Amino acid sequence: MKRVIIQGSSNSHGNTNHIAKLIQEEIKCDFIDLKNYNVGHFDYEFKNRQDDFLPLIKEISDYDLMLFLTPVYWYAMSGIMKTFFDRISDCLKIEKDTGRKFRGKYMASVSCGSEKKATEGFFIPFNLSAQYLGMKYIGDIHTWIEKDKPDKEVTHIVQSFIQESIKPLRDA
Ligand SMILES: Cc1cc2nc3c(=O)[nH]c(=O)nc-3n(C[C@H](O)[C@H](O)[C@H](O)COP(=O)(O)O)c2cc1C
């Protein structure tokens, strides 16, 4: 099973990246940092079809499991991540073959905030987007970093999620 972490933080080497590294210590997983790509806002006339989005989404569509990692910014996913999801709309119009490749694939999402308390409804857009794309949503976890790295509780949450929800998919 080909897996990829898709990180959408304004800080490539910040807290969300600590969680990405924690996941990569547990399972083999490629890594895409959305911050390294030039992805413009959704445009009804597809004027930005020459930016990095279309090659990027084609690359991502080859993976069996997509793990979306986003910081919590103002109780929601980061702007970088939201812009990326908005652009998936391109796949419904000008890149339909790629859009169809998402069907049957797996999605999971992970948030990283400064507060332990998860934001109510945070993962609804991920879950519903997976459903819309015909993907299987395998779940989500909220993580947080209070100081400079994940504490024992967060590490346990991440490891349990991998053990219970991701590793069993290996032969799916
Ligand atoms: C613009 C902005 C908004 C934030 N809003 C929230 C929030 O609503 N809830 C929360 O728990 N933390 C919030 N934080 C803190 C970040 O979620 C937290 O520090 C996170 O771990 C940062 O991850 P990063 O280093 O990958 O950006 C916010 C931080 C920023 C920069």
Side-chain angles (χ1 to χ4, degrees):
M1 164 164 294
K2 277 183 77 183
R3 311 180 186 104
V4 64
I5 289 172
I6 301 160
Q7 176 178 294
S9 171
S10 290
N11 186 350
S12 289
H13 305 289
N15 291 347
T16 307
N17 191 241
H18 276 299
I19 305 298
K21 285 181 183 151
L22 202 54
I23 294 170
Q24 284 183 305
E25 280 169 20
E26 299 291 322
I27 50 167
K28 195 172 168 292
C29 216
D30 289 340
F31 177 80
I32 288 173
D33 181 0
L34 294 178
K35 194 163 191 288
N36 291 337
Y37 295 83
N38 172 32
V39 175
H41 290 284
F42 174 73
D43 185 282
Y44 277 101
E45 291 165 2
F46 307 102
K47 284 183 181 157
N48 48 23
R49 64 170 79 201
Q50 300 303 332
D51 71 10
D52 293 340
F53 179 75
L54 292 179
L56 177 62
I57 198 72
K58 281 182 194 164
E59 184 186 336
I60 289 173
S61 70
D62 279 336
Y63 285 93
D64 305 299
L65 170 64
M66 300 159 206
L67 281 159
F68 287 96
L69 263 64
T70 176
V72 182
Y73 290 162
W74 289 99
Y75 314 102
M77 72 175 81
S78 68
I80 290 176
M81 187 63 87
K82 181 61 167 61
T83 298
F84 176 81
F85 269 90
D86 285 356
R87 285 295 297 280
I88 295 178
S89 308
D90 286 17
C91 297
L92 310 175
K93 295 277 183 191
I94 58 168
E95 195 58 43
K96 287 184 184 174
D97 287 347
T98 305
R100 282 191 271 272
K101 284 179 74 181
F102 283 82
R103 290 183 194 156
K105 302 280 175 82
Y106 295 96
M107 185 196 293
S109 41
V110 178
S111 61
C112 180
S114 53
E115 288 179 23
K116 179 174 176 175
K117 191 174 179 298
T119 301
E120 204 183 323
F122 186 92
F123 293 107
I124 290 174
F126 293 94
N127 194 333
L128 293 180
S129 299
Q131 285 181 41
Y132 189 88
L133 293 166
M135 298 177 74
K136 297 169 196 157
Y137 192 72
I138 62 163
D140 41 60
I141 44 168
H142 173 65
T143 67
W144 64 94
I145 294 189
E146 279 164 353
K147 290 185 184 144
D148 55 348
K149 57 184 181 117
D151 64 18
K152 271 190 183 164
E153 192 178 354
V154 168
T155 303
H156 177 72
I157 288 169
V158 173
Q159 289 174 343
S160 304
F161 183 64
I162 290 170
Q163 204 61 35
E164 289 159 21
S165 301
I166 296 182
K167 284 195 175 164
L169 295 176
R170 193 179 298 147
D171 301 314

